[in-house]
Amino acid sequence: MSTPGSGGTPDLSAPGDRPASDPGLPPPSGDRRSRVLGGGRREGSRSVTIAVVSTVVFFTVAAILIVRSPGWAQIKQLFFNGEEFRESFPDILSKFGRNVFIFCTAEVLVLLLALLLAVMRSLPGPVFAPLRVLAAAYTDLFRAIPTILVIALLGFGMPALQLQGVPDSDVFWAIIALTLVYSAYVAEVYRAGIDSIHPSQVAAARSLGLSRGQAMRSVVLPQAIRRVIPPLLNDFIGLQKDSALVAFLGYTEALRQAQIITAADFNFTPYVALALIYIVITIPQARFVDWLVARDRRRREAGGVA
Amino acid sequence: VDFSDSYYDVNQALVSVKGSSIEGATSFADLSEARLGAPIGTTSYDYIIDNIQPNVEPAVYDDLNGAVQDLKSGSLDGIVVDLPTAFFITAVQIPKGVIVGQFPTVGQQEYFALAFAKGGSLVPCVDAALGALKADGTLASIQQEWLSDKASAPVISS
């Protein structure tokens, strides 16, 4: 995510304080709804009916064609095997708890480290140049390296040093690696939010007697973070999925558990079962963020806190 | 796939490093607190789960290299592999590596064979050749020459 005004100095030529004009940020106005079923801007009830009927017919025909196709029995046996599903699902679900621990711990660390990086990068003035350079270099570095490479480097590499006090736990190094990589992404998301707050807000806060730090903490960050909640969820979901990379280190989390069963039974249903778990946990998060954004918008439009 | 007859009957073996807590293990009980590793989808992994049944969860790797790396770095106490692979690991990959012992066969004897496409016409030819090699002692002398240490790897009893 890129924004105008990189390098910490606020871009004074940025458009006014209307967030709607910032690309990649949630539209704040209430009249933009996604239109999936309706065909036009002002569709009547008739066109809605047609849309529903045509959708139902289309998917029914597609389902019949799939189920009656010659390979379907084999696909069902190999991917959607009821017995295999019942046998593997409890094992996979219980190992998924390990993923939950990994990505929740990492997410907390990511949100903190990334905020630190974003604030560092937004510091004004020549004195803070080294911090800005450091934050930029960190982002460049860890966004460039594939996540699995960082996990392998730390997870296999650090224990190989055999230094006193260096842990050899796969989970420990996986959390560190995921935190390092995702902080780089999330720092940029934060920075986009910070840059989207118009400089006049800082000027106003300063004229009221707030220090730069106070203005950042009480005026800029609360608004900035609220604006970037949807892209933050993006990265959190990415992190959840990448928690499966710990399997590479020999750790039995949900993906590795599914692989073990698949390797023994030569059936891919355990993979489908795990995919289902990921889908089921992701959708409620998306709805929750939608709700957060809508609630925030309602409050703002009611003239509450900005 | 179809398989030829056996050309080598194989046991699982335990590889560790000098100075490890399981270097002198002689029974499954000695391995109950050991952190063992094996590649995924192998009979070695099955052997840990089905027979050794350690209290510590075994590590499961994409391939043997991950297990070897973790044994080298001390994250693992031991790796379970086929005995011939154990010779390779201790001779080439891990200078400090030792073969703690070989495991008794439980259930069906494991063996090495050649794999062919289902219904491959070469299977009878290969079986005939293997039969001849067994009959005149060639196979036994090859095994004796290259895998003779098999006798010297003590058996870890259950």
Side-chain angles (χ1 to χ4, degrees):
Chain A
M1 176 169 292
S2 71
T3 54
S6 57
T9 42
D11 186 350
L12 291 170
S13 68
D17 58 352
R18 296 183 53 225
S21 53
D22 286 311
L25 292 168
S29 64
D31 26 55
R32 282 195 226 162
R33 298 245 164 78
S34 64
R35 273 189 305 275
V36 177
L37 283 177
R41 187 176 283 270
R42 288 189 184 167
E43 63 278 357
S45 64
R46 187 165 160 273
S47 56
V48 170
T49 313
I50 293 174
V52 169
V53 169
S54 115
T55 305
V56 169
V57 168
F58 175 82
F59 283 106
T60 311
V61 169
I64 290 172
L65 283 179
I66 288 170
V67 171
R68 297 191 57 161
S69 65
W72 174 246
Q74 212 184 345
I75 290 173
K76 200 179 157 203
Q77 154 68 24
L78 216 51
F79 291 87
F80 306 105
N81 188 319
E83 193 187 341
E84 185 76 20
F85 186 89
R86 276 191 298 278
E87 280 176 15
S88 63
F89 189 77
D91 279 348
I92 296 172
L93 187 64
S94 77
K95 294 296 193 298
F96 191 73
R98 299 174 169 193
N99 294 68
V100 172
F101 173 76
I102 290 169
F103 65 63
C104 284
T105 314
E107 176 71 2
V108 172
L109 298 174
V110 164
L111 290 176
L112 294 175
L113 179 58
L115 188 60
L116 181 72
L117 287 163
V119 170
M120 267 168 70
R121 200 160 174 181
S122 304
L123 288 174
V127 178
F128 295 115
L131 290 182
R132 287 198 297 270
V133 168
L134 197 67
Y138 178 95
T139 310
D140 286 354
L141 193 69
F142 281 103
R143 258 194 329 187
I145 310 174
T147 312
I148 196 160
L149 196 51
V150 180
I151 287 183
L153 265 175
L154 295 181
F156 283 126
M158 297 308 279
L161 291 173
Q162 295 184 308
L163 292 177
Q164 200 81 45
V166 173
D168 64 359
S169 150
D170 290 336
V171 173
F172 177 85
W173 288 114
I175 288 173
I176 298 293
L178 290 170
T179 301
L180 290 174
V181 171
Y182 275 85
S183 295
Y185 292 113
V186 172
E188 287 296 276
V189 171
Y190 276 139
R191 185 161 75 99
I194 291 171
D195 286 354
S196 79
I197 305 301
H198 196 266
S200 64
Q201 300 228 14
V202 178
R206 299 278 284 146
S207 70
L208 287 172
L210 272 65
S211 70
R212 276 196 187 280
Q214 283 172 326
M216 175 59 95
R217 207 182 66 215
S218 315
V219 176
V220 176
L221 283 183
Q223 301 182 75
I225 291 173
R226 236 176 267 156
R227 276 183 195 177
V228 296
I229 283 175
L232 283 181
L233 177 71
N234 251 0
D235 284 316
F236 184 36
I237 289 173
L239 174 66
Q240 292 168 24
K241 294 188 284 191
D242 275 357
S243 69
L245 296 174
V246 194
F248 189 64
L249 299 177
Y251 183 68
T252 308
E253 43 67 71
L255 173 65
R256 183 47 44 101
Q257 184 63 46
Q259 279 181 312
I260 288 171
I261 304 170
T262 293
D265 300 351
F266 195 64
N267 192 295
F268 298 102
T269 308
Y271 287 156
V272 175
L274 179 56
L276 204 63
I277 295 176
Y278 273 108
I279 294 169
V280 165
I281 66 155
T282 303
I283 290 174
Q285 297 177 67
R287 294 296 83 77
F288 174 68
V289 165
D290 288 351
W291 175 79
L292 270 186
V293 171
R295 188 190 65 168
D296 182 44
R297 192 165 56 212
R298 271 198 311 274
R299 284 185 180 172
R300 244 181 313 144
E301 283 168 3
V305 285
Chain B
V1 292
D2 279 340
F3 291 106
S4 73
D5 290 339
S6 162
Y7 65 85
Y8 179 67
D9 289 346
V10 65
N11 285 344
Q12 295 299 322
L14 178 63
V15 174
S16 187
V17 288
K18 286 196 184 78
S20 143
S21 60
I22 58 166
E23 191 187 352
T26 55
S27 71
F28 285 9
D30 293 340
L31 302 175
S32 63
E33 299 307 322
R35 184 159 156 77
L36 303 176
I40 192 168
T42 57
T43 49
S44 308
Y45 173 73
D46 293 342
Y47 198 92
I48 299 177
I49 295 297
D50 297 339
N51 301 316
I52 306 174
Q53 300 180 344
N55 297 329
V56 184
E57 183 176 281
V60 194
Y61 297 90
D62 293 326
D63 54 31
L64 197 54
N65 294 322
V68 168
Q69 280 178 32
D70 269 357
L71 180 61
K72 270 182 169 172
S73 70
S75 306
L76 282 184
D77 295 319
I79 316 178
V80 176
V81 282
D82 303 329
L83 187 58
T85 313
F87 289 137
F88 176 70
I89 292 174
T90 51
V92 179
Q93 291 185 291
I94 308 181
K96 275 172 41 181
V98 287
I99 298 177
V100 178
Q102 56 181 313
F103 292 109
T105 293
V106 177
Q108 219 180 355
Q109 173 69 49
E110 277 186 59
Y111 61 85
F112 289 171
L114 281 77
F116 298 92
K118 189 94 181 155
S121 57
L122 283 173
V123 179
C125 310
V126 170
D127 282 348
L130 279 173
L133 286 169
K134 276 179 200 164
D136 68 5
T138 313
L139 203 56
S141 72
I142 292 172
Q143 290 175 2
Q144 184 63 33
E145 183 178 353
W146 299 102
L147 301 166
S148 62
D149 286 348
K150 182 176 180 178
S152 73
V155 173
I156 299 173
S157 62
S158 54

